[in-house]
Amino acid sequence: MSSKKPLNLVHLSTLVAVAILVGTELVGASWAAGWALGGLFQLDPAISRGIEIVFALAGLVGLYFFMRTAVRHEPIR
């Protein structure tokens, strides 16, 4: 059996905190951008919700790529 290194709790807690902070910023800002565009162009509420969802998914994708890079620079093992 190969032995695994123990978890580095300092790096792990840093990554969790960064994920919460950056995730809130990215997803919140992208969701708000979808809401603002729907209101600005006076779109139907269903279309506005669709735009909000698309923008929020784009924010989640951005968070995924950000966290992937963060874990590469702050390994937890």
Side-chain angles (χ1 to χ4, degrees):
M1 266 200 206
S2 65
S3 62
K4 291 186 176 182
K5 294 179 185 177
L7 283 176
N8 185 338
L9 294 178
V10 173
H11 288 186
L12 182 64
S13 65
T14 300
L15 289 171
V16 168
V18 165
I20 292 169
L21 178 67
V22 172
T24 302
E25 293 289 331
L26 273 177
V27 175
S30 58
W31 193 292
W35 170 80
L37 286 175
L40 182 66
F41 295 119
Q42 297 179 352
L43 299 174
D44 186 60
I47 295 172
S48 181
R49 294 285 184 247
I51 292 172
E52 290 173 23
I53 291 170
V54 168
F55 275 49
L57 289 175
L60 287 171
V61 169
L63 177 62
Y64 168 76
F65 285 111
F66 178 82
M67 287 307 298
R68 193 173 71 169
T69 304
V71 169
R72 198 175 303 139
H73 290 284
E74 289 277 332
I76 58 173
R77 290 200 183 260

